[in-house]
Amino acid sequence: MSKLIAILNVVAWAGFWAFGCLALTSGGSGRTTIALLLAALGAGAGLWAYMWLVRHSERTGYARLPRRAVPEQDRAPGKYAETGVES
């Protein structure tokens, strides 16, 4: 499945660049709208496929998980007990 999504990623980004170039160089004809829509679809599909691949590679251990900050309340819950004072 991941290979299929990777192929979709490449094809979608290629469509984005190809139809985006056509939309920019069409000179304002009626085909500009169609090219813009196809470029937007390519960008959306490419972005979705890329994010899916990133999440999949992190889940399977191929890529390291990103470092995330842990709030102080999660580190020592007893230290930050409710005092009744709102800040």
Side-chain angles (χ1 to χ4, degrees), residues 42-60:
L47 188 60
W48 175 82
Y50 176 74
M51 291 299 172
W52 189 92
L53 288 169
V54 167
R55 280 184 268 130
H56 177 72
S57 63
E58 288 174 351
R59 264 186 271 127
T60 58

Side-chain angles (χ1 to χ4, degrees), residues 5 7-21 23 34-53:
I5 299 292
I7 291 170
L8 172 70
N9 187 25
V10 170
V11 170
W13 283 117
F16 164 72
W17 287 109
F19 288 111
C21 181
I34 295 171
L36 278 173
L37 288 174
L38 289 173
L41 284 174
L47 188 60
W48 175 82
Y50 176 74
M51 291 299 172
W52 189 92
L53 288 169

Side-chain angles (χ1 to χ4, degrees), residues 26-85:
S26 66
S29 65
R31 296 180 182 174
T32 303
T33 306
I34 295 171
L36 278 173
L37 288 174
L38 289 173
L41 284 174
L47 188 60
W48 175 82
Y50 176 74
M51 291 299 172
W52 189 92
L53 288 169
V54 167
R55 280 184 268 130
H56 177 72
S57 63
E58 288 174 351
R59 264 186 271 127
T60 58
Y62 186 72
R64 281 187 301 170
L65 291 172
R67 295 184 196 169
R68 292 191 170 94
V70 178
E72 291 296 324
Q73 293 87 351
D74 293 339
R75 289 186 188 157
K79 185 177 179 184
Y80 298 96
E82 291 293 326
T83 59
V85 179

